[in-house]
Amino acid sequence: MKRFALIGAAGYIAPRHMRAIKDTGNELACAYDINDSVGIIDSISPSSEFFTEFERFYDHAWRLKRDPATALDYVSVCSPNYLHHPHITAGLRLGCDVICEKPLVPTSAMLDDLALVEKETGSRLWNILQLRHHQAIIALKDRVQSGKQDHKHDVELTYITSRGKWYMESWKGDPRKSFGVATNIGVHFYDMLHFIFGRLQRNVVHFANEQKAAGYLEYENARVRWFLSIDANDLPDSVKGKKPTYRSITCDGAEIEFSEGFTDLHTVSYQSILDGKGYGIEDARHCVETVETIRTLALSRPMDNEGHPFLAHLLG
């Protein structure tokens, strides 16, 4: 049984990490968040210590380190995006391996720094890239790899996940903290595209504001038109008023069904990490570089067949 600490226990994604720790037969020994709305712990790991000040959490973890019987083995990071780097390095310097949500960090330079801290501490950093474990994604990757290697598939990615007014008031609505909508809700899709279709060759952004972004990506084996949004007004008429989320990926005109099978992917990811087969810094580099470029590119008018269909009502 491994002993875990969790940073960011009140966050949206934290319960999936708590359950993954429990379902893989391990113990959540302590948790930290500046917010105290963490009653979910009672139903998953009621004996876990909890702190609302990082200094007290870190001091407690350091004291646990003195005794091999109580020392932490892993620190899981679910804090806001802009805090990932300091929380990861704190975990590594405690002598723990660290499991972090995506986006790992916002820039490739920060990835280089994390690699240096890994070397200094001898501990490992693992990234949750759960779509790589989804059976529909794995099947598509196998199909692409078994086909003609010089063929470019035509892919259309659409992801609209409605968010209320609270979103822009939270850290997620602050681009200094979330790094923008393409990074915050899109980074795992860009990792998925790289995982399936290979190296990125071209990156173009057609539209970007606080609530949505769209562009074109060309990979070794795909041409991708993408659209991401947190605005409910972008939902297709077939979904509007019925569901708050619309997720669609088509490849050569055929829909890739992957709306199911998400429930246990964090647990699968944890088990893979515990088995020493998880995804580390270099696995995350491609998607970090992709979103870093998206954030810095000047907007371009879409060329023929490169603009996502949802762009029409935005560009006029």
Side-chain angles (χ1 to χ4, degrees):
M1 180 181 289
K2 301 296 183 182
R3 288 169 56 79
F4 281 77
L6 178 66
I7 297 175
Y12 164 78
I13 206 67
R16 296 190 194 180
H17 287 258
M18 295 180 195
R19 293 189 182 98
I21 292 166
K22 180 179 180 180
D23 291 348
T24 52
N26 298 293
E27 176 189 1
L28 178 61
C30 57
Y32 156 73
D33 201 293
I34 60 171
N35 299 305
D36 58 10
S37 299
V38 292
I40 187 70
I41 293 178
D42 290 345
S43 63
I44 300 174
S45 185
S47 63
S48 172
E49 299 288 344
F50 177 71
F51 302 90
T52 56
E53 293 93 16
F54 186 78
E55 295 84 355
R56 292 180 61 231
F57 163 79
Y58 193 85
D59 184 63
H60 176 76
W62 189 264
R63 282 186 280 112
L64 293 177
K65 189 173 182 286
R66 292 174 178 156
D67 184 350
T70 62
L72 297 169
D73 299 292
Y74 289 87
V75 173
S76 296
V77 175
C78 306
S79 52
N81 299 349
Y82 74 108
L83 293 174
H84 284 182
H85 185 277
H87 287 159
I88 289 167
T89 56
L92 293 172
R93 288 171 179 142
L94 282 168
C96 301
D97 278 10
V98 175
I99 300 172
C100 185
E101 266 297 335
K102 60 209 160 297
L104 203 55
V105 284
T107 68
S108 55
M110 283 189 177
L111 287 180
D112 295 338
D113 185 70
L114 292 176
L116 180 60
V117 180
E118 272 193 335
K119 186 176 180 180
E120 291 169 344
T121 61
S123 298
R124 286 293 308 274
L125 169 60
W126 307 99
N127 197 195
I128 295 291
L129 299 172
Q130 76 269 30
L131 288 183
R132 295 190 182 204
H133 297 288
H134 196 292
Q135 289 304 308
I137 302 304
I138 293 171
L140 178 57
K141 177 181 173 68
D142 291 342
R143 178 157 65 86
V144 169
Q145 290 188 336
S146 64
K148 296 179 180 179
Q149 290 305 299
D150 59 349
H151 175 68
K152 287 188 186 285
H153 299 270
D154 288 309
V155 177
E156 194 169 284
L157 166 65
T158 311
Y159 181 50
I160 303 164
T161 179
S162 307
R163 295 290 185 264
K165 294 180 181 179
W166 67 268
Y167 186 95
M168 299 309 299
E169 295 298 322
S170 74
W171 65 266
K172 296 180 180 182
D174 185 343
R176 297 169 302 174
K177 296 180 177 181
S178 69
F179 312 113
V181 68
T183 298
N184 194 47
I185 71 169
V187 67
H188 57 302
F189 289 116
Y190 302 128
D191 175 71
M192 175 198 71
L193 292 168
H194 161 60
F195 180 65
I196 297 171
F197 298 111
R199 184 174 54 86
L200 181 62
Q201 298 174 327
R202 187 161 168 251
N203 189 341
V204 181
V205 178
H206 298 141
F207 186 91
N209 66 16
E210 293 179 333
Q211 294 186 307
K212 63 198 78 176
Y216 175 81
L217 298 164
E218 189 160 336
Y219 293 86
E220 290 176 285
N221 296 117
R223 292 181 290 263
V224 183
R225 301 182 297 175
W226 60 270
F227 181 86
L228 305 171
S229 174
I230 59 166
D231 185 356
N233 293 316
D234 291 321
L235 290 168
D237 291 339
S238 60
V239 173
K240 198 172 293 183
K242 301 173 185 176
K243 295 180 180 179
T245 299
Y246 177 77
R247 182 192 293 112
S248 173
I249 296 179
T250 63
C251 183
D252 299 326
E255 186 78 28
I256 307 302
E257 177 53 53
F258 74 117
S259 57
E260 303 298 330
F262 279 89
T263 308
D264 300 320
L265 290 184
H266 274 72
T267 298
V268 174
S269 297
Y270 265 68
Q271 190 59 62
S272 181
I273 290 166
L274 290 162
D275 292 340
K277 301 174 183 177
Y279 295 111
I281 290 174
E282 292 310 310
D283 297 295
R285 186 173 294 276
H286 194 281
C287 63
V288 168
E289 290 176 344
T290 301
V291 293
E292 183 178 10
T293 300
I294 286 172
R295 291 196 305 272
T296 57
L297 282 173
L299 300 184
S300 302
R301 294 288 297 186
M303 298 175 63
D304 291 344
N305 300 316
E306 292 186 359
H308 191 282
F310 282 34
L311 271 177
H313 74 282
L314 297 176
L315 298 179

